[in-house]
């Protein structure tokens, strides 16, 4: 079976449903296969030249998943047709102003890459976005105007997402997604600003985040050459380089997210990627035994109370929001 067929099959498996495999306490936690457009893909080993599936209606990056425990993909599965990643629903993209059309051209292929998580606005700031079919929505002191086009991501999946695109009066762009299985999710990404022939994440124009309860990931994102300080008390904070961090089964490295739309690409189970250098070290969420340790790593880690009493990572250990 060819490498391209294998990757296409894994993409099909990744988008056909929203269920994640149960976590196992006895193994190192790998980033989960994405339920949603912003999902995380972990690949081991790397497949550098694999093609990305596309369709006539639109294109989008696909999440690739690792084969685990020596599993192989059968020839029958390889023969399954690739599902469309993005289908445009309404509007004429050809009639958009050139800058608007160029933004869609650049942002759409990133939908299947975990790097887009870095651009997501904290959910608590988006609770009052208003109706999804509104022409305008207030946000962060601006008025966002909906571009006259929309799309559906993974339309045949139980995790299908409605995708709309927005622009402020000062030319900041946003992406809004809604959907995803039983519990619908409403997320906003941005702002993005035109920068020469491309776009960049406008970190300086982002709404200030409210104080985090119980701690947060240190805001160290300014340089790919700076090693970030750890969360106080993090057992992995003593590692000062990527190799020693990745060698510790309790830990993952922290990827560097710059302001460009360049995806990190394939990452390994320790969250390392040639596209996003390591800038810190942190404990895997499922290795944190107490609620205090877990909530100190919010929003990357979440605590399940009740009978579960465990720490988990809803978006994967490689997602630093």
């Amino acid at each position: 079976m060819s490498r391209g067929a294998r990757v296409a099959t894994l993409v099909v498996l990744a988008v056909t449903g929203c269920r994640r495999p149960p976590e196992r306490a006895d193994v190192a936690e790998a980033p989960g296969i994405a339920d949603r457009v912003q999902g995380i893909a972990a690949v081991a080993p790397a497949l550098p030249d694999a093609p990305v599936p596309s369709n006539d209606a639109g294109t989008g990056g696909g999440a690739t998943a690792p084969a685990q425990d020596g599993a192989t993909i059968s020839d029958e599965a390889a023969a399954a047709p690739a599902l469309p990643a993005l289908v445009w629903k309404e509007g004429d993209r050809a009639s958009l102003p050139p800058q608007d059309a160029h933004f869609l051209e650049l942002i759409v292929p990133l939908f299947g890459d975990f790097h887009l998580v870095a651009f997501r606005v904290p959910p608590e700031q988006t609770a009052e976005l208003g109706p999804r079919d509104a022409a305008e929505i207030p946000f962060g002191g601006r008025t966002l105007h909906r571009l006259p086009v929309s799309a559906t991501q993974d339309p045949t999946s139980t995790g299908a997402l409605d995708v709309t695109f927005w622009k402020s009066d000062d030319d900041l762009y946003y992406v809004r997604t809604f959907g995803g299985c039983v519990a619908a999710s409403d997320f906003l990404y941005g702002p993005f600003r035109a920068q020469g022939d491309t776009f960049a994440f406008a970190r300086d124009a982002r709404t200030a985040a409210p104080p985090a309860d119980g701690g947060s990931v240190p805001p160290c994102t300014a340089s790919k050459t700076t090693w970030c300080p750890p969360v106080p008390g993090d057992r992995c904070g003593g590692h000062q380089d990527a190799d020693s961090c990745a060698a510790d089964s309790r830990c993952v490295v922290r990827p560097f997210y710059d302001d460009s739309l360049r995806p990190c690409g394939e990452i390994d189970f320790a969250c390392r990627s040639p596209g996003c250098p390591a800038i810190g070290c942190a404990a895997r969420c499922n290795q944190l035994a107490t609620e205090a340790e877990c909530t100190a790593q919010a929003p990357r880690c979440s605590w399940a109370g009740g009978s579960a009493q465990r720490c988990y990572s809803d978006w994967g250990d490689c997602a630093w929001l």
Side-chain angles (χ1 to χ4, degrees):
M1 181 175 57
S2 69
R3 175 182 296 168
R6 183 181 299 110
V7 172
T9 300
L10 292 173
V11 171
V12 172
L13 297 176
V15 301
T16 51
C18 282
R19 294 177 296 172
R20 279 192 295 269
E23 296 181 45
R24 292 169 51 190
D26 59 329
V27 296
E29 182 182 57
I33 293 175
D35 300 342
R36 307 167 183 146
V37 65
Q38 310 83 347
I40 299 164
V43 179
L47 304 175
D49 300 320
V52 176
S54 63
N55 64 86
D56 294 336
T59 59
T64 54
Q68 300 186 14
D69 300 327
T72 58
I73 306 301
S74 69
D75 291 338
E76 290 80 10
L83 300 177
L86 188 80
V87 172
W88 293 96
K89 293 198 307 183
E90 61 181 0
D92 180 9
R93 284 170 288 150
S95 67
L96 293 174
Q99 182 170 288
D100 296 356
H102 189 46
F103 174 69
L104 299 188
E105 177 188 359
L106 293 178
I107 198 71
V108 164
L110 301 187
F111 280 178
D113 192 275
F114 81 96
H115 189 61
L116 197 60
V117 177
F119 307 141
R120 191 176 76 195
V121 178
E124 61 269 20
Q125 296 183 29
T126 62
E128 303 299 331
L129 286 178
R132 299 189 302 281
D133 58 353
E136 298 180 349
I137 54 176
F139 180 75
R142 294 179 169 88
T143 298
L144 308 188
H145 307 276
R146 181 176 173 177
L147 300 185
V149 293
S150 65
T152 300
Q153 178 78 13
D154 299 336
T156 60
S157 167
T158 55
L161 290 166
D162 292 329
V163 185
T164 52
F165 306 90
W166 304 76
K167 183 180 180 181
S168 68
D169 292 325
D170 53 344
D171 294 331
L172 292 174
Y173 289 83
Y174 296 78
V175 178
R176 187 179 184 183
T177 65
F178 182 85
C181 299
V182 178
S185 301
D186 197 350
F187 291 125
L188 191 70
Y189 296 82
F192 305 99
R193 178 188 287 122
Q195 190 174 81
D197 293 333
T198 185
F199 281 80
F201 174 52
R203 195 181 302 273
D204 60 322
R206 229 179 163 172
T207 305
D213 294 329
S216 64
V217 175
C220 177
T221 57
S223 171
K224 62 183 178 182
T225 60
T226 301
W227 195 257
C228 296
V231 170
D234 189 334
R235 66 191 70 182
C236 295
H239 294 292
Q240 295 298 309
D241 61 85
D243 289 340
S244 65
C245 179
D248 190 332
S249 62
R250 305 170 303 171
C251 310
V252 292
V253 302
R254 179 178 177 182
F256 169 68
Y257 294 145
D258 63 12
D259 293 341
S260 75
L261 301 187
R262 183 187 68 251
C264 286
E266 297 171 349
I267 58 176
D268 65 20
F269 290 107
C271 299
R272 293 178 299 182
S273 168
C276 288
I279 56 171
C281 186
R284 297 178 185 273
C285 294
N286 70 353
Q287 296 294 306
L288 301 175
T290 69
E291 183 175 3
E293 289 179 308
C294 184
T295 55
Q297 298 275 7
R300 179 176 64 96
C301 302
S302 301
W303 181 256
S307 59
Q309 295 292 308
R310 66 183 180 92
C311 189
Y312 65 96
S313 180
D314 190 33
W315 290 91
D317 274 312
C318 304
W320 299 82
L321 311 185

